[in-house]
Amino acid sequence: MVTADDVRRIALSLPHAQEKLAWGMPTFRLEARGRIFASLDDEDRVLGVKCPKEDRAGLIAAEPDKFFLREGHDDRYAWLRVRLAALDDEAELRAVLEDSWRQAAPARLRDAHPELGPRQGR
């Protein structure tokens, strides 16, 4: 099972990633005051990640036990929640985090790290 420690290790391995406590939960950002690309909440059982609004409904419909929206917040933002216990393995976690990182990263940072691939939807 994927854990919050796995999230930290993988998220912090991404270029320019830093962890910062905000709103009482760990967030992972591009530099100290940069864009958030992931967060942990619900006692480290849920991962929040960037996700294009147009992709969310399909992901939730396909895997409702894995993906969901936090009503009253996520509906206004390009954000999606992921239940850590529902992820298949660390490879899937890495794919989710890398995709979120690509969406948050400015073009200059993405261009400097072609190994992470182009920006794309899940």
Side-chain angles (χ1 to χ4, degrees):
M1 183 172 99
V2 174
T3 68
D5 288 338
D6 297 324
V7 170
R8 275 189 180 85
R9 180 175 43 77
I10 294 169
L12 293 173
S13 75
L14 297 171
H16 296 266
Q18 294 186 8
E19 183 174 349
K20 182 178 179 183
L21 194 64
W23 309 288
M25 64 184 157
T27 63
F28 300 92
R29 300 167 179 257
L30 299 171
E31 300 165 349
R33 296 206 275 166
R35 299 174 188 168
I36 297 172
F37 68 91
S39 66
L40 282 167
D41 59 358
D42 292 342
E43 298 177 2
D44 293 346
R45 295 179 303 201
V46 173
L47 174 66
V49 292
K50 293 193 66 64
C51 180
K53 288 182 180 182
E54 61 272 11
D55 294 346
R56 298 183 308 185
L59 289 166
I60 293 167
E63 298 184 87
D65 292 336
K66 187 178 293 184
F67 301 112
F68 69 101
L69 296 179
R70 174 132 316 132
E71 290 185 33
H73 183 272
D74 297 337
D75 47 348
R76 296 185 314 229
Y77 302 100
W79 207 249
L80 181 72
R81 305 296 163 151
V82 183
R83 291 178 183 91
L84 292 181
L87 288 170
D88 295 333
D89 52 27
E90 278 191 37
E92 184 177 27
L93 172 62
R94 178 172 290 282
V96 167
L97 286 168
E98 286 179 356
D99 189 51
S100 187
W101 181 92
R102 280 190 296 272
Q103 291 176 62
R108 66 171 170 72
L109 188 53
R110 285 192 314 269
D111 291 347
H113 296 281
E115 73 279 8
L116 293 174
R119 183 175 173 171
Q120 60 192 16
R122 266 188 269 311

